[in-house]
């Protein structure tokens, strides 16, 4: 069998959902996800990611929606930096040197209190190749029907309600992380699909991230350290 024919058959097999009432393997779900976003080779070529966008915090009980400028730098080694600017003030947080850190307006850099696993996964340009790194001990536990969409439900050792992964049966894409996070408006960026909107439902409203511009391949080393650019 030629290599080309073998690759075609592999992609077709990965793209076919399991028969009714029969679950695929976890490996098949993850492989199909990688193919759905662009393929292993396209992902492996990405070394860094730069995102420019907005955060809109919309909680009616707290007053009008608040919009902040959002900028992200991330690398495949897991380091990342998120910078938020609102009314001239800048908040920064990130992960580097194996540790979380944060910097509030006018203050020094301090250790971060919590790992931001979901954000770190979404920021990493090779995230779809590293699902098991960010969400340990993955287990395909069944399907879930919600709002007319059927998902494969993949649990892990992180807190169930907030970190369960939901892969669409029809498309293969990961479009929900936990019940409250929904990934929407996927767009092609340098050969791979990247969500354009991350909807984060929360009590009394939502906090949505809009990734208006996404580029890859820039030198981000100066940005990823506390106190960087």
């Amino acid at each position: 069998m030629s290599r080309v024919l073998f690759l075609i058959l592999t992609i077709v097999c990965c793209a076919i959902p399991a028969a009714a009432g029969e679950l695929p393997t976890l490996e098949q779900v993850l492989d199909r996800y990688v193919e759905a976003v662009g393929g292993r080779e396209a992902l492996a070529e990405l070394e860094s990611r730069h995102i420019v966008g907005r955060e809109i915090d919309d909680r009616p009980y707290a007053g009008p929606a608040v919009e902040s400028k959002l900028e992200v730098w991330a690398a495949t080694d897991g380091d990342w930096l998120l910078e938020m600017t609102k009314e001239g003030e800048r908040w920064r947080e990130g992960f580097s040197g194996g540790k979380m850190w944060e910097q509030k307006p006018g203050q020094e850099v301090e250790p971060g209190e919590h790992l931001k696993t979901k954000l770190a996964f979404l920021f990493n340009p090779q995230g779809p190749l590293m699902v098991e790194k960010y969400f340990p001990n993955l287990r395909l536990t069944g399907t879930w029907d919600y709002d007319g969409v059927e998902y494969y439900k993949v649990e892990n050792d992180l807190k169930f309600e907030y970190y369960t992964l939901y892969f669409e049966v029809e498309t293969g894409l990961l479009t929900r992380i936990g019940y409250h996070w929904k990934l929407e408006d996927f767009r092609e960026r340098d050969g791979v699909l990247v969500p354009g909107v991350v909807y984060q439902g929360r009590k009394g409203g939502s906090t949505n991230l809009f990734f208006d511009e996404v580029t890859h391949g820039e030198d981000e080393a100066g940005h990823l350290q506390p106190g960087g650019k």
Side-chain angles (χ1 to χ4, degrees), residues 20 23 34 49 53 70 87 133 149 158-159 162 182 212 222:
L23 286 177
V34 168
R49 174 171 287 168
L70 172 155
E87 297 179 347
K133 171 184 175 180
V149 179
L158 302 180
K159 192 173 181 181
Y162 299 103
K182 186 175 182 181
D212 299 322

Side-chain angles (χ1 to χ4, degrees), residues 190-212:
D190 299 313
V192 300
L193 292 181
V194 179
V197 181
V198 181
Y199 175 88
Q200 304 173 79
R202 55 190 303 184
K203 187 175 182 180
S206 64
T207 300
N208 301 331
L209 306 180
F210 295 84
F211 298 163
D212 299 322

Side-chain angles (χ1 to χ4, degrees), residues 4 16 24 33 64 89-90 116 137 139 152 154 157 159 166-167 170 175 178 188 190 193 202 206:
V4 173
I16 298 176
Y33 170 46
E89 293 192 306
R90 186 178 71 170
K116 303 292 181 71
N137 193 18
R139 306 177 295 278
Y152 290 122
V154 177
D157 282 353
K159 192 173 181 181
Y166 296 97
F167 298 85
E170 181 177 355
T175 56
E188 188 272 327
D190 299 313
L193 292 181
R202 55 190 303 184
S206 64

Side-chain angles (χ1 to χ4, degrees), residues 144-198:
W144 181 56
D145 294 295
Y146 182 76
D147 199 23
V149 179
E150 185 177 12
Y151 301 88
Y152 290 122
K153 180 179 179 181
V154 177
E155 298 180 36
N156 53 80
D157 282 353
L158 302 180
K159 192 173 181 181
F160 165 76
E161 181 180 359
Y162 299 103
Y163 293 94
T164 297
L165 306 178
Y166 296 97
F167 298 85
E168 291 188 3
V169 172
E170 181 177 355
T171 68
L173 291 172
L174 172 64
T175 56
R176 285 186 177 274
I177 304 179
Y179 181 78
H180 301 288
W181 277 45
K182 186 175 182 181
L183 316 181
E184 300 179 334
D185 191 27
F186 282 80
R187 300 183 183 185
E188 188 272 327
R189 315 282 192 174
D190 299 313
V192 300
L193 292 181
V194 179
V197 181
V198 181

Side-chain angles (χ1 to χ4, degrees), residues 98-151:
K99 298 179 180 180
M100 280 292 304
W101 58 268
E102 61 182 20
Q103 184 178 28
K104 298 177 182 177
Q107 298 184 16
E108 298 295 324
V109 173
E110 298 179 352
E113 294 183 3
H114 305 289
L115 285 174
K116 303 292 181 71
T117 302
K118 290 180 284 189
L119 286 178
F121 168 71
L122 293 176
F123 293 159
N124 194 317
Q126 293 184 13
L129 299 177
M130 304 178 183
V131 180
E132 294 175 279
K133 171 184 175 180
Y134 287 97
F135 304 94
N137 193 18
L138 296 174
R139 306 177 295 278
L140 176 61
T141 58
T143 60
W144 181 56
D145 294 295
Y146 182 76
D147 199 23
V149 179
E150 185 177 12
Y151 301 88

